[in-house]
């Protein structure tokens, strides 16, 4: 069973170094075939497990020194490309023939006689191993040096092939020779020997044979007794010989010329000679009347420095030195300057971490830089300062940072991690929906594995926002946490009692009635005014003047009152407001008044109540007839007829109303007048009532109805 994963990074670094200045120009093609992963052999990884994912990058190096040292400070790495291999199996060998954007075979430009390239393995343990291959271009037999590092055997085995192709004018083993007729560091000087000159084996400059002079060795001159030959092949006449061929003798003194020998001319071989008439004849590359100026393209105090401006490579300074034009470099301006390419070194291509350059100066994008944008941007799905970060947008999961290539998990997904496979902080993976749910623990809930809220003790509801503490007065609804009051409890937080219940435990029942109120705390019945007893069932009017009430509502009559009449009536023979006056009826014609005084009954009067009262009539003992006597024959006087005289009528002795004989004739007229008067009075009353009703309707009742 695999217990760990080690990812090794293999960097192939090609170092071009110069051990000498032997001319050489060509291209060494290294074709990579296969790498044997020594991690499977236990050399790098003690556990012996193999990698199953390997990152391979290939880099070139611009060498900064004149000797190969295994220190990274001596060269600057430039990535060329790379690949990433990932399988579910051990990688003991992996194919190197397809390295993505990097061509394989890999061309390595060789310019100075030898070449080196180094395989650098940077494994997952952050240990760097280098295997350097040094080529002698003359034999093309690589000298492989396998370094030993910290007890590890080697960095693995690289299988590759190679071949060398000479460029342009180079030929021979290792491209160390120029083609026939070509010389110079770049084999660009053409020289073919003839009978006048030979060619310098290194530079290709013409070397004149004996007695030959001139730039092209075209002049022939051999010393005689009349002259010697200058270095330019001109004849310097010996005195007294004169003339072009030094075959005439002169009579003038030495260095005197002319018919009168008055012209002075002292020859300076290499600068000028003297003609037969004494004029200066410039020699070499001097010119002008006095031979003090240099001819075109010649410079220096002796005009012996030749500099012919090249149409594309260089111009000449005042001292005759070559001033390289843009793109050219070197003493002879025969080499392309840094970052310049092409036959005329007129194509600029500066190598960078984004691209390398072909011999023709064409950019070859490195790694994952995009050729379509001239290596100025990354190819599709690659980002970062070196386009080494791969990121492809995945719908619904992440997008890519346009600068760094970092995967940016979409906000709505609430994901995090390198591949957005994890949930960000305070979010949890719901395995059912594969979504990240937000949950941050609070005082009211904790978070489950799927981000569900788990309410803590005394917290309820879908979001655990309802707090409910169970007490002796209430319980809590198990789902939404609503407080449920136990029996007899009610109100906010169940701190009150249900209707008609009171007391600490709300078990005291009390109903307020017209007889009693209820104590708000204890529920004890509090009797209202005039009600007494445990249940206030006894009524006793405390304001009564007839009786008083004790604490139980029992009435105690005031004075001589009768309890059977609820103390409203006095006891027998007692009278007065307070029943404090005693009165006894002594005769049938007497009675007791309300105040207790003895008075005559109705119809009687007198001190002894023996006389009829005014307007009362009855029988007397003087009258005859049996009805006025009782059974014993005693006279029974009566006063039981009430009669009042009226207008034309008068009461007789028996109390009967009889018409007065004096007014008998006038009775009809009076009756008529009385009748008419009554009718008129009736009409007047009806009229007044009608007016009153109309007033009410119009000014009181109807406006009141309108306002409603």
């Amino acid at each position: 069973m695999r217990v760990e994963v080690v990812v090794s990074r293999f960097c192939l670094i090609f170092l071009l170094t110069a051990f000498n200045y032997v001319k050489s120009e060509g291209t060494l093609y290294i074709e990579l075939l296969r790498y044997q992963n020594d991690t499977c052999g236990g050399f790098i990884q003690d556990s012996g497990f193999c990698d199953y994912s390997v990152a391979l990058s290939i880099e070139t190096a611009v060498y900064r020194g004149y000797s190969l040292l295994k220190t990274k400070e001596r060269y600057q790495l430039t990535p060329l490309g790379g690949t990433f291999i990932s399988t579910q199996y051990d990688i003991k060998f992996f194919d190197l023939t397809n390295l993505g954007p990097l061509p394989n075979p890999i061309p390595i430009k060789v310019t100075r006689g030898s070449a080196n390239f180094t395989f650098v393995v940077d494994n997952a343990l952050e240990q760097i191993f280098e295997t350097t291959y040094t080529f002698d271009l003359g034999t093309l037999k690589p000298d492989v040096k396998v370094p030993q590092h910290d007890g590890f055997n080697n960095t693995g085995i690289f299988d590759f092939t190679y071949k060398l192709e000479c460029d342009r004018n180079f030929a021979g083993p290792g491209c160390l020779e120029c083609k026939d007729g070509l010389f110079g560091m770049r084999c660009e000087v053409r020289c073919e020997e003839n009978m006048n000159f030979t060619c310098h084996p290194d530079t290709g400059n013409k070397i004149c044979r004996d007695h030959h002079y001139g730039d092209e060795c075209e002049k022939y001159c051999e010393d005689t007794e009349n002259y010697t030959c200058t270095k330019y092949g001109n004849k310097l006449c010996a005195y007294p010989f004169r003339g072009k061929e030094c075959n005439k003798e002169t009579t003038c003194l030495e260095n005197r010329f002319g018919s009168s020998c008055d012209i002075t001319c002292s020859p300076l071989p290499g600068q000028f000679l003297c003609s037969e008439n004494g004029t200066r004849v410039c020699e070499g590359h001097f010119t002008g009347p006095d031979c003090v100026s240099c001819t075109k393209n010649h410079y220096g105090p002796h005009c012996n420095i030749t500099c012919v401006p090249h149409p594309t490579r260089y111009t000449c300074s005042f001292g005759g030195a070559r001033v390289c034009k843009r793109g050219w470099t070197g003493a002879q301006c025969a080499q392309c300057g840094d970052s310049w390419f092409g036959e005329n070194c007129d194509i600029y291509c500066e190598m960078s971490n984004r691209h390398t350059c072909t011999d023709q100066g064409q950019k070859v994008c490195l790694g994952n830089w995009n050729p379509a944008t001239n290596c100025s941007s990354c190819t599709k799905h690659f980002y970062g300062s070196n386009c080494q970060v791969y990121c492809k947008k995945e719908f619904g999961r992440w997008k890519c940072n346009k600068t760094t290539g970092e995967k940016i998990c979409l906000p709505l997904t609430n994901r995090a991690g390198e591949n957005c496979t994890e949930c960000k902080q305070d979010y949890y993976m719901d395995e059912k929906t594969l979504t990240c749910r937000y949950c941050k623990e609070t005082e009211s809930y904790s978070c489950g594995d799927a981000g569900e809220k788990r309410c803590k003790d005394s917290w309820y509801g879908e979001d655990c926002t309802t707090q409910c503490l169970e007490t002796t007065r209430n319980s809590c609804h198990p789902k939404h946490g609503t407080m449920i009051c136990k029996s007899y409890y009610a109100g906010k937080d169940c701190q009150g009692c249900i209707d008609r219940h009171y007391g600490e435990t709300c078990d005291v029942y009390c109903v307020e009635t017209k007889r009693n109120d209820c104590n708000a705390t204890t529920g004890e019945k509090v009797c209202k005014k005039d009600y007494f007893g445990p249940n206030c069932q006894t009524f006793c009017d405390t304001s009564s003047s007839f009786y008083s009430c004790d604490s139980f509502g029992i009435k105690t009559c005031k004075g001589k009152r009768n309890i059977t009449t609820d103390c409203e009536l006095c006891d027998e023979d007692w009278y007065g407001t307070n029943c404090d006056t005693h009165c006894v009826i002594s005769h049938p014609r007497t009675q007791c008044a309300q105040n207790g005084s003895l008075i005559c009954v109705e119809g009687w009067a007198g001190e002894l109540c023996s006389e009829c009262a005014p307007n009362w009539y009855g029988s007397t003992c003087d009258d005859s007839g049996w009805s006025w006597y009782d059974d014993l024959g005693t006279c029974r006087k009566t006063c039981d007829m009430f009669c009042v005289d009226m207008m034309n009528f008068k009461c007789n002795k028996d109390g009967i109303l009889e018409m007065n004989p004096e007014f008998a004739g006038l009775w009809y007229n009076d009756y008529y007048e009385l009748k008419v008067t009554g009718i008129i009075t009736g009409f007047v009353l009806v009229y007044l009532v009608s007016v009153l009703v109309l007033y009410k309707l119009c000014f009181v009742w109807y406006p009141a109805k309108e306002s409603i």
Side-chain angles (χ1 to χ4, degrees), residues 235-237 242-244 255-259 261-268 271-283 288-292:
K235 297 175 180 179
L236 176 62
C237 297
R242 305 285 171 88
K244 184 176 182 180
N255 298 330
R256 292 282 183 170
F257 296 88
S259 58
C261 297
D262 56 354
I263 300 174
T264 301
C265 179
S266 299
L268 292 175
Q271 183 174 354
F272 62 85
L273 301 178
C274 297
S275 67
E276 186 175 356
N277 57 8
T279 60
R280 293 183 177 185
V281 179
C282 298
E283 190 179 28
D290 297 324
C291 297
V292 294

Side-chain angles (χ1 to χ4, degrees), residues 60 74 89 112 131 149 174 195 212 301 414 451 491 552 564 592:
T60 60
R74 301 293 299 200
Y89 308 106
R112 292 189 174 181
T131 302
H149 289 282
M195 55 187 306
H212 287 80
N414 299 315
F552 298 99
T564 60
C592 294

Side-chain angles (χ1 to χ4, degrees), residues 150-219:
D150 300 330
F152 295 102
N153 290 342
N154 54 49
T155 61
I157 300 174
F158 291 89
D159 293 337
F160 62 92
T161 63
Y162 58 87
K163 66 177 179 178
L164 178 66
E165 292 183 2
C166 296
D167 295 343
R168 302 203 308 184
N169 299 328
F170 291 87
C175 302
L176 297 175
E177 302 176 2
C178 293
K179 292 182 179 179
D180 291 341
L182 296 175
F183 300 89
M185 290 296 296
R186 294 170 58 89
C187 296
E188 61 181 359
V189 179
R190 185 169 295 280
C191 180
E192 296 182 2
E193 294 186 6
N194 57 29
M195 55 187 306
N196 292 343
F197 58 81
T198 61
C199 299
H200 189 283
D202 293 328
T203 64
N205 293 335
K206 295 175 182 177
I207 302 174
C208 295
R209 298 182 186 272
D210 291 341
H211 311 305
H212 287 80
Y213 302 91
D215 292 338
E216 299 294 330
C217 302
E218 75 281 4
K219 290 183 179 181

Side-chain angles (χ1 to χ4, degrees), residues 3-4 33 45 60 63 69 75 166 169 212 217 258 282-283 311 406 411 424 463 488 498 511 620 633 666 677:
V3 295
E4 61 177 298
L33 301 177
Q45 187 176 352
T60 60
Y63 190 65
L69 298 177
Y75 50 82
C166 296
N169 299 328
H212 287 80
C217 302
C282 298
E283 190 179 28
E406 179 185 4
K424 64 183 183 181
D463 294 323
Y488 305 140
I498 62 174
V511 179
T620 65
L666 299 176
T677 302

Side-chain angles (χ1 to χ4, degrees), residues 623-638:
D623 295 334
S624 61
W626 60 270
S627 59
W628 308 114
Y629 296 91
D630 56 18
D631 294 338
L632 299 178
T634 301
C635 177
R636 183 171 61 89
K637 183 179 176 63
T638 61

Side-chain angles (χ1 to χ4, degrees), residues 27 40 52 129 151 284 303 353 369 414 423 478 517 559 708:
T27 302
C40 291
Y52 64 82
F129 309 95
C303 295
N353 62 343
W369 293 97
N414 299 315
C423 293
D517 293 324
I708 294 175

Side-chain angles (χ1 to χ4, degrees), residues 98-146:
N98 183 10
L99 298 177
L102 184 72
N104 192 21
I106 301 171
I108 303 176
K109 192 68 176 176
V110 179
T111 58
R112 292 189 174 181
S114 65
N116 297 272
F117 68 90
T118 301
F119 294 102
V120 178
V121 177
D122 183 3
N123 65 28
L125 303 178
E126 298 184 354
Q127 295 168 318
I128 300 175
F129 309 95
E130 299 178 359
T131 302
T132 302
Y133 294 83
T134 303
F135 284 86
D136 181 352
L137 299 184
T139 60
L140 287 183
K141 292 181 180 180
D143 177 18
V144 180
K145 296 181 180 180
V146 180

Side-chain angles (χ1 to χ4, degrees), residues 433-703:
T433 61
L434 297 180
T435 57
C436 294
R437 296 175 56 184
Y438 176 77
C439 183
K440 186 174 183 179
E441 184 173 353
T442 66
E443 64 174 357
S444 62
Y445 61 83
S446 59
C447 301
D449 294 337
E452 73 278 10
K453 295 179 180 178
R454 294 179 177 177
C455 296
K456 296 181 180 179
D457 291 343
S458 76
W459 291 91
Y460 301 87
E462 184 177 356
D463 294 323
C464 305
T465 55
T466 301
Q467 187 177 27
C468 179
L469 298 174
E470 292 191 357
T471 66
T472 57
R473 291 175 170 263
N474 68 276
S475 60
C476 301
H477 191 281
K479 184 175 182 181
H480 48 69
T482 301
M483 186 176 291
I484 302 173
C485 297
K486 295 181 179 179
S487 57
Y488 305 140
Y489 295 103
K492 183 179 180 182
D493 299 332
C494 300
Q495 294 303 307
C497 299
I498 62 174
D499 190 28
R500 301 179 181 180
H501 284 75
Y502 302 87
E504 182 66 26
T505 57
C506 296
D507 57 350
V508 178
Y509 181 78
C510 180
V511 179
E512 291 185 352
T513 66
K514 66 178 182 178
R515 298 181 177 185
N516 65 273
D517 293 324
C518 298
N519 184 288
T521 303
T522 64
E524 181 182 1
K525 290 181 179 180
V526 179
C527 295
K528 294 183 179 179
K529 185 175 180 292
D530 300 334
Y531 288 94
F532 300 88
N535 294 312
C536 303
Q537 74 278 11
T538 302
F539 177 79
C540 184
D541 187 0
T542 55
S543 62
S544 175
S545 60
F546 301 152
Y547 53 83
S548 60
C549 304
D550 63 11
S551 59
F552 298 99
I554 298 175
K555 298 175 181 178
T556 301
C557 294
K558 297 179 180 179
K560 298 295 183 177
R561 294 182 177 276
N562 192 340
I563 191 63
T564 60
T565 63
D566 209 15
C567 301
E568 291 183 3
L569 301 178
C570 297
D571 284 340
E572 187 178 2
D573 299 334
W574 289 89
Y575 300 89
T577 303
N578 296 320
C579 297
D580 54 355
T581 303
H582 189 261
C583 177
V584 178
I585 299 175
S586 59
H587 193 277
R589 293 191 295 271
T590 60
Q591 62 180 1
C592 294
Q594 291 295 326
N595 58 5
S597 62
L598 189 64
I599 60 174
C600 297
V601 298
E602 187 179 29
W604 294 92
E607 183 178 354
L608 299 176
C609 301
S610 59
E611 300 294 333
C612 288
N615 298 324
W616 286 89
Y617 300 88
S619 62
T620 65
C621 293
D622 296 335
D623 295 334
S624 61
W626 60 270
S627 59
W628 308 114
Y629 296 91
D630 56 18
D631 294 338
L632 299 178
T634 301
C635 177
R636 183 171 61 89
K637 183 179 176 63
T638 61
C639 294
D640 54 0
M641 293 294 292
F642 181 78
C643 181
V644 178
D645 294 341
M646 297 179 58
M647 295 181 66
N648 299 329
F649 297 88
K650 190 174 179 65
C651 297
N652 62 18
K653 64 181 183 70
D654 296 323
I656 297 173
L657 193 63
E658 294 179 348
M659 182 176 291
N660 192 343
E662 298 178 358
F663 298 98
L666 299 176
W667 182 88
Y668 177 80
N669 291 334
D670 293 340
Y671 175 78
Y672 177 78
E673 291 177 358
L674 181 62
K675 184 176 182 181
V676 171
T677 302
I679 292 173
I680 294 173
T681 302
F683 275 111
V684 172
L685 291 175
V686 171
Y687 172 77
L688 292 175
V689 171
S690 299
V691 170
L692 180 61
V693 170
L694 289 175
Y695 172 78
K696 291 286 187 179
L697 288 175
C698 296
F699 298 100
V700 178
W701 296 335
Y702 185 76

